[in-house]
Amino acid sequence: MTSGKTLALILALTPLTSVIAQTPQADDAHTLIATLKRPAPARTPFAEARFMRVLDKPLVVSGELSWLGGDRLERRVDLPTKETATIADGQVTQQREGRKPRSFSLERAPQLKVLLDSFVALLGGDPSRLADSFDVTVAHAGSQWTLTLKPRDPRVAKQIASIRVDGAGTEARCMRMEEPDGDVTMDLLGDLATKMPDAPTRDAIAALCGGTP
């Protein structure tokens, strides 16, 4: 995986109210995102399946996602191998078991900067972090909801077609990242992470996530 895709589920922008608060849809998204706020440090288990056209079976990993406050994120993979990726102070650092750490500037990966904004915005309950980077829509089905983010920057859109977050109440349960070439990364979050099937399929994971059609 590239560094941007490896850190996809780890979510100086103008205020959301000045950009999209003119519609009921925008107000709804603003309200929902505000309810997702968590105090730092916020940690959650995850299980991820990445479906790629060139592979017969998905790549499956599991571990823990952590928002450490500000723009500091950590993604720790425990299975099948140990690996930690950290964003802090504008730098991305990857540490794989048995290898030397690898670091590079966040400026080299604009798509990763967008993913950082999305993850921090969700855990920080800050809609303004999404305003410049994404077109935001929300849909509800009872207590369940789906938040869809589509990149505005054409350069980022070449890497990420959309990010979908499914949740219930004030908890995000799943994240799904669609790539323009058809590859898909699906993450189960929190308690749902333990329910990743041994042989996951897109339909099986989608059924666990619920959300809106």
Side-chain angles (χ1 to χ4, degrees):
M1 301 182 190
T2 67
S3 59
K5 295 170 183 175
T6 299
L7 293 175
L9 304 173
I10 46 180
L11 169 226
L13 301 178
T14 57
L16 182 67
T17 52
S18 67
V19 179
I20 59 174
Q22 300 170 343
T23 67
Q25 173 67 222
D27 289 339
D28 194 12
H30 189 289
T31 300
L32 173 61
I33 295 167
T35 69
L36 302 179
K37 184 176 182 177
R38 298 290 181 271
R43 306 178 189 277
T44 187
F46 79 95
E48 177 182 286
R50 185 162 185 233
F51 299 88
M52 303 174 66
R53 295 172 302 151
V54 297
L55 298 178
D56 294 332
K57 297 180 180 180
L59 299 175
V60 181
V61 299
S62 61
E64 184 180 73
L65 297 171
S66 301
W67 175 49
L68 306 177
D71 285 354
R72 294 181 297 150
L73 300 177
E74 180 181 272
R75 181 181 188 266
R76 191 190 74 226
V77 173
D78 297 323
L79 295 172
T81 59
K82 294 186 180 298
E83 177 182 342
T84 301
T86 305
I87 299 177
D89 301 322
Q91 292 288 316
V92 181
T93 302
Q94 293 177 309
Q95 174 67 67
R96 294 181 179 178
E97 191 172 34
R99 299 185 183 182
K100 294 182 179 180
R102 172 176 174 262
S103 297
F104 58 90
S105 171
L106 189 60
E107 296 299 323
R108 290 175 48 193
Q111 75 276 21
L112 183 53
K113 174 64 166 63
V114 170
L115 291 170
L116 170 67
D117 287 332
S118 67
F119 196 72
V120 170
L122 293 174
L123 288 181
D126 183 5
S128 66
R129 290 297 298 258
L130 302 180
D132 274 357
S133 298
F134 295 98
D135 289 322
V136 183
T137 59
V138 63
H140 293 276
S143 64
Q144 295 183 318
W145 48 264
T146 295
L147 191 68
T148 302
L149 313 175
K150 293 189 176 182
R152 293 181 174 180
D153 189 327
R155 296 171 302 170
V156 177
K158 291 180 179 180
Q159 300 289 331
I160 304 168
S162 67
I163 298 172
R164 168 174 167 156
V165 184
D166 289 311
T170 61
E171 297 290 336
R173 293 166 53 84
C174 304
M175 293 188 73
R176 174 183 177 123
M177 186 178 73
E178 301 266 3
E179 299 175 33
D181 61 5
D183 291 350
V184 178
T185 300
M186 304 177 76
D187 285 81
L188 301 177
L189 307 175
D191 294 340
L192 203 59
T194 62
K195 300 185 182 299
M196 176 67 76
D198 292 334
T201 64
R202 298 188 191 190
D203 288 345
I205 296 175
L208 287 170
C209 292
T212 63

